[in-house]
Amino acid sequence: MILLPGSALLFDIDGTLADTDPLHLEAFNRTFAPFGHHFDKARFALELQGKANEAIAARFIPDLPPEEQIAVMRGKEALFRDLARTEIHAVPGLFELLDLADAAGLPMAAVTNAPRANADLILDGLGVRDRFKALVIGEELAHGKPHPLPYLEGLRHLGADARVSVAFEDSRTGIASANGAGLATIGIRTSLVDADMRAAGAVLSADSYDDPALLVFIHATVSEPEFSQ
């Protein structure tokens, strides 16, 4: 495979590298129960998944002072990390895809709205930190997802061109961010179904990284066309 100049792969972390959404759902329900909120899987995917903590707090605990909102959300993330320490599992096919990218010299970045401590826990838990040339934390930027800035930063760190790169996302918020940065985005179906992901702007979706359609799309996007003699 001959890579096109500027090609790259960019991955969200939660629900994309690892299927952590059930753990986040449990942590949100424990945290917000005292405030009268309960979330099922569908409501989680629509109202919480992929959104920045600041936006979540502003919507669901708006009557608390800002410093108390921050404390509540920090407590939720600490609870998530406690749950995740022994429950982190890679999305099927992830390691094989990372191996293929490394063998081809295709650079990769991780781009997330999660706090840095969460990102560190997942990357280290999966043993994939060294696979990524850049880690972009949305809450450390002027704008997180769904703004395109996190993915624009990922592209900048890699010296990559969105036109010949691919993003992987599991949420509507993340797909909007990646698409806004000019990236073709593949949805990973850990929470949303194919129709939801395509409606949000994904070019296709897959349950695993060894899906043949996913691999064909990556190859067609990042490499020179192959002509038979």
Side-chain angles (χ1 to χ4, degrees):
M1 180 167 64
I2 302 174
L3 295 177
L4 292 165
S7 57
L9 302 180
L10 298 94
F11 296 80
D12 174 52
I13 294 180
D14 274 305
T16 303
L17 296 181
D19 187 5
T20 53
D21 286 345
L23 304 179
H24 280 290
L25 176 57
E26 182 174 350
F28 273 120
N29 276 329
R30 290 195 198 179
T31 300
F32 283 122
F35 303 99
H37 298 294
H38 177 78
F39 304 90
D40 59 14
K41 184 176 179 180
R43 190 180 178 200
F44 167 83
L46 185 63
E47 300 181 0
L48 299 174
Q49 185 193 37
K51 299 187 185 299
N53 278 341
E54 183 179 1
I56 292 171
R59 177 170 181 182
F60 292 104
I61 46 175
D63 295 334
L64 294 184
E67 63 273 13
E68 292 185 29
Q69 291 184 5
I70 292 170
V72 169
M73 299 311 298
R74 284 179 176 167
K76 177 266 165 183
E77 298 301 351
L79 177 56
F80 164 78
R81 289 191 292 273
D82 286 342
L83 295 169
R85 290 188 201 284
T86 59
E87 296 293 336
I88 297 175
H89 305 287
V91 172
L94 173 67
F95 299 123
E96 291 80 3
L97 177 58
L98 299 183
D99 287 343
L100 287 173
D102 282 341
L106 184 61
M108 296 178 283
V111 182
T112 181
N113 260 0
R116 183 169 290 274
N118 291 23
D120 289 342
L121 176 67
I122 295 170
L123 294 177
D124 291 336
L126 295 175
V128 297
R129 177 183 294 276
D130 292 343
R131 303 289 195 129
F132 299 102
K133 295 186 181 299
L135 170 60
V136 178
I137 306 295
E139 71 174 16
E140 297 176 1
L141 302 175
H143 304 284
K145 304 174 188 178
H147 196 281
L149 181 59
Y151 277 101
L152 292 172
E153 279 293 289
L155 291 166
R156 183 181 68 81
H157 281 295
L158 297 178
D161 183 342
R163 295 171 295 180
V164 291
S165 298
V166 180
F168 303 91
E169 273 286 353
D170 70 310
S171 70
R172 297 174 179 88
T173 301
I175 293 169
S177 175
N179 286 357
L183 286 154
T185 308
I186 295 176
I188 301 300
R189 295 193 297 260
T190 50
S191 290
L192 299 178
V193 299
D194 178 73
D196 292 333
M197 292 190 151
R198 290 183 183 270
V203 294
L204 59 92
S205 73
D207 289 318
S208 66
Y209 287 101
D210 53 9
D211 184 294
L214 176 150
L215 295 171
V216 167
F217 184 84
I218 294 171
H219 191 279
T221 302
V222 306
S223 65
E224 296 278 3
E226 296 178 2
F227 299 99
S228 58
Q229 297 294 328

